[in-house]
Amino acid sequence: QALVVLKEFYAKAGAATAFVQQDAAAPEAPEIFDEPYKGMSGESGGVVGMLEVIESDFARLEADTKAAEATAQKEYDSFMTDSKVDKEAKTKDIEHKETKKQEQSKTLVVKKEDLEANQKELDAAVAYYDKLKPSCVDASVSFEDRVARREEEIKSLQEALQVLNGEDLP
């Protein structure tokens, strides 16, 4: 709308004679000027041309910005969707791992209790073994002495059997 007003103004300005100084007594104009001066409105477009360039630049910038915003919005939406899915998956993974950790903690407690009970049983067995060992294994008596004692004990047991059976002793 502003461009239309400016174009009309400059179109009329070329024909305007308000600023043309004409003196009747003045000598004739030099031969250089063949026609009246109309300004530089036709050369490069002037103010109107500059405004048209600015308007086209702004329109192009606006289109580029809208396209960039649309692309960025699509990327953001995609990122948010992916992040939401990833967050849900990781939350479920955390829940599963916490459950597994609790189960393994319970199993660990049970195993420790079993270990303590088995260790007590082992300690008791070792103590009993240590108590029995000296009576079973007497290292101070030689093998021949043990054989002789055993034979003597067998002989005395046979004599006791004969006495109990009512037989005479030899």
Side-chain angles (χ1 to χ4, degrees):
Q1 188 179 18
L3 287 175
V4 172
V5 172
L6 285 174
K7 284 182 182 179
E8 288 176 5
F9 173 77
Y10 282 114
K12 291 178 186 175
T17 59
F19 296 112
V20 178
Q21 297 175 356
Q22 293 186 0
D23 190 5
E28 215 173 282
E31 297 178 10
I32 303 174
F33 301 111
D34 297 333
E35 56 189 63
Y37 179 71
K38 294 185 180 179
M40 298 178 58
S41 61
E43 294 287 323
S44 65
V47 173
V48 174
M50 184 171 66
L51 287 175
E52 288 173 346
V53 169
I54 290 172
E55 183 182 28
S56 67
D57 287 349
F58 179 75
R60 183 175 35 84
L61 179 63
E62 183 181 24
D64 291 347
T65 304
K66 284 183 180 181
E69 282 182 4
T71 303
Q73 185 65 40
K74 286 180 186 176
E75 289 176 5
Y76 173 77
D77 291 341
S78 173
F79 174 74
M80 291 305 291
T81 302
D82 293 345
S83 295
K84 185 177 179 182
V85 169
D86 190 40
K87 182 180 177 183
E88 289 174 1
K90 288 182 179 180
T91 302
K92 287 181 182 178
D93 191 36
I94 287 171
E95 290 172 1
H96 291 298
K97 287 183 179 181
E98 285 178 354
T99 303
K100 186 176 179 181
K101 179 184 171 189
Q102 290 174 352
E103 291 172 359
Q104 289 180 346
S105 294
K106 289 177 184 177
T107 304
L108 179 64
V109 168
V110 170
K111 299 261 184 198
K112 282 185 178 181
E113 290 173 356
D114 290 346
L115 177 64
E116 288 175 10
N118 289 338
Q119 187 63 42
K120 286 180 183 178
E121 288 179 24
L122 179 63
D123 292 342
V126 167
Y128 186 65
Y129 172 75
D130 288 340
K131 183 179 174 184
L132 290 178
K133 187 176 179 182
S135 64
C136 293
V137 179
D138 192 4
S140 62
V141 180
S142 68
F143 179 72
E144 292 81 21
D145 291 340
R146 282 186 283 155
V147 170
R149 278 191 200 167
R150 202 171 289 126
E151 287 177 7
E152 193 177 306
E153 187 178 344
I154 290 172
K155 188 177 181 184
S156 66
L157 286 173
Q158 286 174 349
E159 289 174 4
L161 183 61
Q162 288 175 354
V163 170
L164 289 174
N165 288 334
E167 299 175 8
D168 289 332
L169 292 175

